[in-house]
Amino acid sequence: QVHLQESGGGLARPGESLRLSCVASGEFFSVYSLGWHRQGPGKQRELVAFISSEGFTTYADSVKGRFAISRDNTKNTLHLQMNNLKSEDTAVYYCTRGTSNGPRYSPDYWGQGTQVTVFS
């Protein structure tokens, strides 16, 4: 079984930044794509960003230019740097592992989630 554990969520005001982290178990961490999903209150779950095993990144239009996804295969970690936060970024953020083919990403394992709240 694969275990994903998120951290770094919290409360922020509009314009501030937060950095989410995810640590993953797994012997072959580097061969998988990794992503961040989120689900806001009363909203459907959506893909925020993902990074392929080769390091190529894809972002949702709503976070382009503000968020940055990265990975450290040596440490089995995934990160999401969130800058210029907006109230609409409020959601539970999930770390995911899966496979990708170009712009298509299919998660197969999910973390527990970490809450991000943005309000003034």
Side-chain angles (χ1 to χ4, degrees):
Q1 284 279 73
V2 174
H3 181 259
L4 305 170
Q5 183 66 242
E6 304 94 337
S7 63
L11 190 149
R13 290 180 290 185
E16 294 184 339
S17 298
L18 286 174
R19 181 175 174 85
L20 305 184
S21 297
C22 171
V23 61
S25 65
E27 188 175 348
F28 303 103
F29 178 86
S30 64
V31 308
Y32 293 100
S33 295
L34 303 168
W36 289 97
H37 290 73
R38 69 184 181 186
Q39 186 167 22
K43 300 179 180 179
Q44 291 186 319
R45 191 169 51 207
E46 65 176 345
L47 174 65
V48 177
F50 74 89
I51 182 168
S52 73
S53 60
E54 297 87 0
F56 298 113
T57 58
T58 302
Y59 297 91
D61 288 341
S62 60
V63 306
K64 286 182 179 178
R66 298 189 298 118
F67 290 11
I69 188 171
S70 61
R71 64 190 294 166
D72 186 336
N73 292 337
T74 301
K75 299 178 180 179
N76 280 18
T77 55
L78 174 73
H79 305 279
L80 184 68
Q81 179 66 44
M82 304 184 294
N83 297 325
N84 192 23
L85 285 163
K86 302 177 179 180
S87 60
E88 51 263 43
D89 295 319
T90 295
V92 176
Y93 284 72
Y94 299 90
C95 173
T96 64
R97 191 209 80 174
T99 56
S100 66
N101 187 354
R104 180 182 178 185
Y105 175 63
S106 300
D108 53 14
Y109 288 94
W110 295 69
Q112 185 178 8
T114 185
Q115 177 69 48
V116 172
T117 302
V118 184
F119 77 101
S120 61

